[in-house]
Amino acid sequence: MSDIIHLLPDSVANQIAAGEVIQRPASVVKELVENAIDSGASVVKIIIKDAGKTLVQVVDNGCGMSETDARLSFERHATSKIKSANDLFAIRTMGFRGEALASIAAIAYVELKTKRVEDELGTFINISGSELVKQEPLSCPNGTNFLIKNLFFNVPARRKFLKSNTTEFRHIVNEVQRIALPNPEISFVLIHNDVEVYNLPASNLHQRIVSVFGKNAQKNLIKINTSTSIINIKGFIGKPEYAKKKSGEQFFFVNNRYMRHPYFYRAVLKAYERILPHDSIPSFFIYFDIDPKSIDINIHPTKTEIKFDDERGIWQILQVSIKESLGKYNIVPSIDFSIDADSMIDIPSFSKNSEVKIPSVTLDPNYNPFKENNKGSNYYQKKDIPDNWEQLYSGFENEGKQTSNKLFGGEDDDLSDNTQTTNLQFYQLKNKYILTSVKSGLMMIDQKRAHERILYEKFLRVLKSNVGVEQKNLFPESFNLNAADAEILKEIINDVNLLGFDISEFSDNTFVINGTPADLAKVNSLSFIESLIENYKNNKIDIKNDIRENVVRSIAKASAINYGKTLTVKEMSNLIDRLFACKTPNYSPSGKSVFNIISIEELDKRFKN
């Protein structure tokens, strides 16, 4: 029997490596921009076509490469960052493995133009599917210019699994944010289909956050700054009142590298405990500066998962640092400078020449507080009890009973009477479940899911008939979104408006709400839009035929009544009537159970003992 083990060709090995490093166009952007930062660039320009499927171009003014380095950079494990295993524990650069360019060149058509300052001519290299097509000198600006065309052209199975352009471009925006936020001294420009999405000039950390997430972020930020022997923590956290129901503005960076860390994320939420609703998420931009020897960044190809030597200690420092900043924000009193001069508090002044007087206290040494006939100046006289004082409390004894009966939907009920009340209908438990009696036992209804099902079927009917009833706003509301969320709203805005909304694009990433559906007039429009976008992202449906249904599902979830809302008996009755008029009352639009029935037999079992 012949030998069956053999070495893979480099082209195949590179494609396999690309499967780990290059997952989508955003991965290409990440690797190329990180290389630009490592090259010392002060300006990085990113040009995207068709969400990166057609073109990803990254241009920088960094140090450039020599002809030899340019060619060698496309070989696997070719790197200038490390020379020995010990160097892995002293890394402060963004890249170091030497896999990125080899992986990209294995699955795309690549053009490279690069030139060093000291060289008269630069180098042009063209590679397609790991094969060198052309290499020649050329005249070009200092720095490096990468063009990546037709990503996954030779791996059609991988290309088939790419999502819609909106989804893929959102991932690109996320990667640009993760790189731009820890590098405020570098200017970034992002252009998609000839439209400028970001133009971020060099600035400080605070201004970079505002430039990325809009002017609304400026009033939301609280500074944190803690220095210890273990770690230095700086950055900004969000004020509690500006917390949102969606994620997207939560960032950890370690030595200027973005990371995910669920353990530290829980530390942040713990610091906000009891000052935020359970469904709200605070913003934070937290930067760790730590000795590279104390962390391991070489545990994942994308380098977003990082291990720390002393996670427990950092957890405590992080939580205390956030609590301290929140405490300063809440404790410092606000001073009102608009007080009239006449109403100013008179604070006596004291000069060096003022006479110092010993405070004196006057007292009556013969005063006896227990002596009934004491008629001194401090004598306390018991006041006479007014007549008919009982009338002050008349009617109170029945108030609790009436409230209870209204809650259950019944009439006045005397618990001492032996008669049985038969018209009790509904009871709201913990402002979350509605309980009602049915023939087979006790029905428990989830009020939020029930309302979602009702709105979902209603909006589907409206969408099919195109007759959404709109109520114009007296004063149009404008709001700003980050680039990723703005792309989502642009994609679904027509379908949203068919349901009775009137939302229009005003300028870059700024929109105006001119009207809302009549049924949702009391809904906070801005909170609703945030919830709508978050729910739309979470549903993750990218098939074109299902986008409108996804919009309806997202709107139903965003506009349904929340847990914690107290309902009257009339509201509960109306909700249940409308629920069981639906085609599918059993399940919410996301497929979760709306109600459950506890049978009489099950209840009897619980009372056998």
Side-chain angles (χ1 to χ4, degrees), residues 122-160:
T123 302
F124 172 80
I125 293 178
N126 177 205
I127 295 180
S128 178
S130 293
E131 295 184 6
L132 179 65
V133 178
K134 181 186 291 187
Q135 179 174 344
E136 61 185 12
L138 88 164
S139 178
C140 63
N142 297 331
T144 303
N145 183 345
F146 272 103
L147 281 87
I148 313 299
K149 300 179 181 178
N150 299 327
L151 191 65
F152 299 125
F153 79 95
N154 55 351
V155 194
R158 293 286 304 281
R159 190 176 180 89
K160 182 180 69 174

Side-chain angles (χ1 to χ4, degrees), residues 17-37 44-49 51-60 74 99-111 145-153 158-159 162 168 171-173 175-176 179 190 301-303:
E20 296 180 343
V21 180
I22 308 302
Q23 301 170 357
R24 55 188 355 131
S27 305
V28 176
V29 174
K30 173 183 181 294
E31 298 294 344
L32 296 182
V33 175
E34 285 182 348
N35 285 346
I37 293 173
V44 179
K45 188 174 183 180
I46 307 156
I47 301 170
I48 307 295
K49 291 286 180 68
K53 298 173 184 177
T54 302
L55 172 70
V56 173
Q57 183 177 4
V58 177
V59 184
D60 68 67
F74 288 98
E99 290 180 326
L101 294 183
S103 298
I104 294 170
I107 54 173
Y109 179 88
V110 180
E111 291 183 5
N145 183 345
F146 272 103
L147 281 87
I148 313 299
K149 300 179 181 178
N150 299 327
L151 191 65
F152 299 125
F153 79 95
R158 293 286 304 281
R159 190 176 180 89
L162 292 178
E168 293 300 337
H171 285 289
I172 291 174
V173 170
E175 290 295 347
V176 173
I179 296 172
L190 174 61
T302 60
K303 300 182 285 290

Side-chain angles (χ1 to χ4, degrees), residues 352-370:
K352 293 182 179 179
N353 299 325
S354 300
E355 182 182 358
V356 179
K357 295 182 179 179
I358 300 175
S360 60
V361 179
T362 58
L363 54 86
D364 181 3
N366 298 320
Y367 175 70
N368 184 356
F370 301 102

Side-chain angles (χ1 to χ4, degrees), residues 63 179 199 311 428 591:
C63 64
I179 296 172
N199 189 343
E311 289 189 346
Q428 190 180 22

